[in-house]
Amino acid sequence: MFQTPSMTRKLVVAITSVVAAFWLVAMGFGVLIMQDEFSEIFDSGIQETAERLLPIVNDDLAGRQAGNAPRGVAEKAATNREYLTYQVRGRDGQILLKSRDAPSEPFPIALAVGFSQTDTHRLYTAGTADGSLYIQVADGLDHRREAAIEGGMALFFPILALIPASIIAIILVVRMTLSPIEGLRNDIGTKDGGNMIPVDEAGLPVELRPIARSVNLLLERLRSALEAEREFTANSAHELRTPIAGALAQTQRLLAEVPPSLAARAGQIERSLQHLARLAEKLLQMSRAEAGIGISDEKTNLFPILDVVIEDIRRSALGAGRIVLHAQGDARVERQVRPDAFAIVVRNLLENALVHSPARSIVDVYFDSEGLRIVNESAVLDQATLASLTKRFTRGPTQAAGSGLGLSIVKRFVEQMNGNLALHSPATGRPGGFEAAVRF
């Protein structure tokens, strides 16, 4: 599963890679320059050694020829390594003197003053003015390579340790720099149909202010569009209810006046108009749910809304004496929910429970800080049926009148309220029944 690309991760990886690459390139150039400088230092060392030894060796050999005791040089301990070796050679190329680790055979180079190099050594040859005596001082190339490698490692390991430290520093700097973007992203992510508060531009950098300004303009246009839609919905509800109610009233008067032979047809018209009124109300509620009015910017105490809806339904023939509320009288549950949206949720759940339960059976309403539970008597429903009840125009195995929209409207509103609607059959703690639970 691919992870969503992160701007912070990309910046950290890119900057660290570039910095590490520059460091490594700089280290490579440093090693090359250091190797060249080492060669100059070592060459200067063997040249100076040869030029200083030549007169000493010349005097020593001249003293031996005159019968004087030669000036001795203290021998090194056998365990010490000689970095520089030398051979003193005569005009004919024969070795007259040599250091302890110098080869027994003459160096394979000509007797000419200056630098020379073999596969294993770098040499400098110094000679007397008359050409009778030459001294050749050699420095092993492996010694020079060892010095270059150790110098390179002295540069590489600190850089290797600095890379993770630089990654941490880059992460902190990048996060600090991108924190306004993160804040703007989180602020924009909270905007929906119920949260239209403008984005705060005051604390944003200059580069991000045009984005925030554009988002605020878009929110303003969206807020105006939603308000217009809600106003249209409210006006439409009023305009639709009035003619339907008038037609229903006239039909009921007609039903009281027509002869018995026409009563059946008039009754059919009355039932059709009642069904049309209920369907129009549900469709308007569905339209309001689609408009996203479920959530609010301000908190609302939900218990008074629940109490008002229950009392209103208790006054109807359908709910008289059937609803039992289980809640504390001073219950106070505050949520960022629009009062009219919560009232629609409660009304639809109660009407669903009353219509689809046996006549004169009790409907229990449980309300607390966790949410709302409405339980009614019914036959046990299977899981497939429960899963389909929240779909539009879907009804369970019942003969009761209904539109199949109530639970779909409830689910839509509850989702906008950042809640959850769960249907259970049998009801919790009961052998049967039906339960609709709304969790905040």
Side-chain angles (χ1 to χ4, degrees), residues 12 29 87 179 185 206 274 318 369 388 438:
V12 171
F29 281 114
Q87 289 180 351
S179 59
R185 185 195 71 175
V206 176
Q274 289 175 344
L318 180 63
S369 60
S388 66
V438 175

Side-chain angles (χ1 to χ4, degrees), residues 273-342:
L273 287 173
Q274 289 175 344
H275 176 72
L276 180 59
R278 288 194 299 269
L279 182 59
E281 182 179 2
K282 297 300 180 186
L283 290 175
L284 290 172
Q285 289 178 359
M286 178 64 72
S287 176
R288 300 190 71 189
E290 294 297 334
I293 67 166
I295 197 168
S296 172
D297 298 335
E298 299 178 356
K299 289 187 176 182
T300 302
N301 186 11
L302 302 182
F303 181 75
I305 302 171
L306 174 68
D307 194 40
V308 168
V309 174
I310 290 177
E311 288 301 320
D312 183 55
I313 297 179
R314 279 174 176 169
R315 295 191 186 99
S316 66
L318 180 63
R322 297 182 58 189
I323 302 175
V324 177
L325 175 61
H326 303 273
Q328 295 180 357
D330 57 347
R332 186 175 184 86
V333 178
E334 294 185 344
R335 295 291 185 274
Q336 287 182 307
V337 172
R338 287 186 180 273
D340 51 345
F342 184 68

